[in-house]
């Protein structure tokens, strides 16, 4: 009986062992999908790492294109009277000089701002020298004229006609025109003052021009920003005119002109 019992015990142990081994194999088989998920994780990381340099290359390419555009030569003609010439300030302090310096600081390395302001200039005098000033072949012209006419009480119709003639001449010679709006003191009567100021937006609308609403905005009438004559800006006054009044209007026109030049160069290659 003992031998029979012993045999039964051995068989029982053997069966239990087989069962445990079978269960272990089944469990190890169930764990294989988890190993597959683990091996997939590094693949996702690799994909992200590969795409990153593409974005960097695109950004670099865009920056290179922008720099190519800014490196194109461009001529800006500053055309007007003593407010343009810079009467009473050093040559490096008038608005054309400050504008050129500012643009180069901003990356427009081949920009040339030509100062064609003349003290005492009227709209009639300006029209008479248009053939000479357009020899500079300006891409963009900032036109600021009419204040001397108004201070002399000249006919408003004549002022407007002269400004329109100047704009058309410049446009016909391939220059984009930015018109500087002007205002005068109320010493000639309210009707004259209002009618004079209205000339500029009317011309800008009719001739599809970008316009500086008031060239002396933020400076005119401020004794701290004007010379003793209370008419002509100081160096600090011109800095405000350049940064606040001219650049916001000029930059879109400048970038458009540079892009057009870049396209012409690329198409010819």
């Amino acid at each position: 009986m003992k031998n029979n019992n012993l045999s039964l015990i051995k068989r029982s142990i053997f069966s239990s062992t087989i069962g445990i081994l079978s269960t272990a194999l089944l469990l190890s088989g169930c764990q294989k999908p988890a190993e597959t998920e683990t091996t997939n994780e590094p693949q996702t990381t690799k994909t992200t790492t590969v795409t990153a340099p593409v974005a960097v290359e695109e950004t670099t390419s865009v920056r290179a294109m922008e720099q190519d555009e800014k490196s194109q030569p461009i001529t800006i003609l500053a055309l007007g009277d003593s407010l343009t010439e810079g009467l009473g300030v050093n040559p490096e302090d008038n608005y054309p000089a400050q504008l050129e310096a500012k643009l180069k600081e901003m990356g427009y390395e081949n920009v040339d701002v030509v100062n064609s302001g003349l003290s005492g200039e009227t709209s009639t005098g300006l029209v008479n020298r248009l053939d000479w000033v357009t020899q500079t072949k300006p891409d963009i012209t900032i036109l600021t004229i009419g204040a001397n006419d108004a201070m002399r009480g000249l006919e408003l119709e004549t002022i407007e006609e002269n400004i329109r003639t100047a704009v058309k001449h410049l446009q016909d010679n391939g220059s984009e025109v930015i018109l500087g709006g002007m205002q005068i003191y109320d010493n000639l009567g309210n009707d004259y003052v209002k009618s004079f100021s209205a000339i500029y937006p009317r011309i800008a609308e009719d001739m599809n021009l970008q316009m500086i609403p008031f060239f002396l905005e933020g400076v005119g009438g401020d004794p701290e920003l004007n010379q003793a004559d209370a008419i002509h800006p100081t160096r600090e006054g011109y800095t405000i005119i350049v940064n606040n009044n001219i650049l916001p209007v000029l930059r879109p026109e400048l970038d458009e002109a540079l892009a057009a030049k870049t396209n012409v160069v690329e198409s010819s290659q």
Side-chain angles (χ1 to χ4, degrees), residues 195-246:
S195 297
F196 172 75
S197 299
I199 289 174
Y200 298 90
R202 182 166 56 247
I203 294 175
E205 183 177 358
D206 291 347
M207 305 189 77
N208 194 29
L209 307 178
Q210 294 299 320
M211 178 182 165
I212 301 166
F214 178 35
F215 183 77
L216 296 174
E217 182 68 38
V219 175
D222 187 338
E224 296 295 324
L225 299 173
N226 286 276
Q227 300 174 47
D229 61 10
I231 296 174
H232 297 93
T234 61
R235 177 178 65 84
E236 293 77 13
Y238 277 125
T239 300
I240 292 172
I241 290 171
V242 168
N243 292 336
N244 297 352
N245 302 346
I246 297 176

Side-chain angles (χ1 to χ4, degrees), residues 6-258:
L6 183 58
S7 297
L8 289 171
I9 290 170
K10 289 180 177 179
R11 288 175 185 174
S12 177
I13 293 171
F14 180 76
S15 298
S16 299
T17 303
I18 293 299
I20 291 169
L21 290 172
S22 299
T23 302
L25 287 172
L26 287 170
L27 289 172
S28 64
C30 292
Q31 292 172 353
K32 286 182 180 179
E35 293 175 1
T36 304
E37 291 178 4
T38 303
T39 56
N40 283 341
E41 290 179 3
Q43 294 178 358
T44 303
T45 305
K46 288 180 181 178
T47 303
T48 303
T49 304
V50 170
T51 57
V54 176
V56 172
E57 288 174 4
E58 290 177 352
T59 302
T60 303
S61 177
V62 170
R63 288 175 180 171
M65 289 175 62
E66 290 176 350
Q67 193 57 45
D68 284 344
E69 287 183 0
K70 285 187 174 183
S71 66
Q72 294 294 328
I74 195 103
T75 299
I76 299 172
L77 177 65
L79 182 58
D81 49 34
S82 58
L83 294 174
T84 297
E85 183 186 36
L87 182 68
V89 298
N90 293 326
E92 67 272 15
D93 294 332
N94 58 47
Y95 104 70
Q98 289 200 47
L99 178 60
E100 180 175 308
K102 183 66 175 181
L103 288 172
K104 288 184 175 179
E105 180 185 313
M106 295 166 65
Y108 300 93
E109 54 191 51
N110 280 336
V111 68
D112 184 21
V113 181
V114 179
N115 189 339
S116 189
L118 184 62
S119 292
E121 184 72 292
T122 62
S123 60
T124 300
L126 185 138
V127 167
N128 290 335
R129 63 187 178 100
L130 282 173
D131 287 334
W132 180 77
V133 298
T134 50
Q135 292 180 23
T136 59
K137 300 187 181 303
D139 300 285
I140 299 171
T141 299
I142 303 172
L143 176 61
T144 309
I145 196 68
N148 288 323
D149 298 68
M151 286 191 291
R152 299 174 188 182
L154 300 181
E155 290 291 331
L156 295 172
E157 292 79 6
T158 301
I159 300 171
E160 182 165 353
E161 182 181 350
N162 284 336
I163 294 175
R164 287 179 182 270
T165 299
V167 170
K168 187 175 186 308
H169 186 97
L170 291 161
Q171 289 177 330
D172 289 346
N173 281 270
S175 183
E176 293 293 329
V177 179
I178 296 174
L179 184 61
M182 290 303 303
Q183 299 174 14
I184 57 170
Y185 296 116
D186 194 10
N187 60 330
L188 293 172
N190 190 50
D191 288 343
Y192 186 95
V193 170
K194 285 185 176 180
S195 297
F196 172 75
S197 299
I199 289 174
Y200 298 90
R202 182 166 56 247
I203 294 175
E205 183 177 358
D206 291 347
M207 305 189 77
N208 194 29
L209 307 178
Q210 294 299 320
M211 178 182 165
I212 301 166
F214 178 35
F215 183 77
L216 296 174
E217 182 68 38
V219 175
D222 187 338
E224 296 295 324
L225 299 173
N226 286 276
Q227 300 174 47
D229 61 10
I231 296 174
H232 297 93
T234 61
R235 177 178 65 84
E236 293 77 13
Y238 277 125
T239 300
I240 292 172
I241 290 171
V242 168
N243 292 336
N244 297 352
N245 302 346
I246 297 176
L247 279 175
V249 180
L250 172 64
R251 281 200 67 187
E253 293 294 308
L254 178 57
D255 290 339
E256 186 175 333
L258 287 169

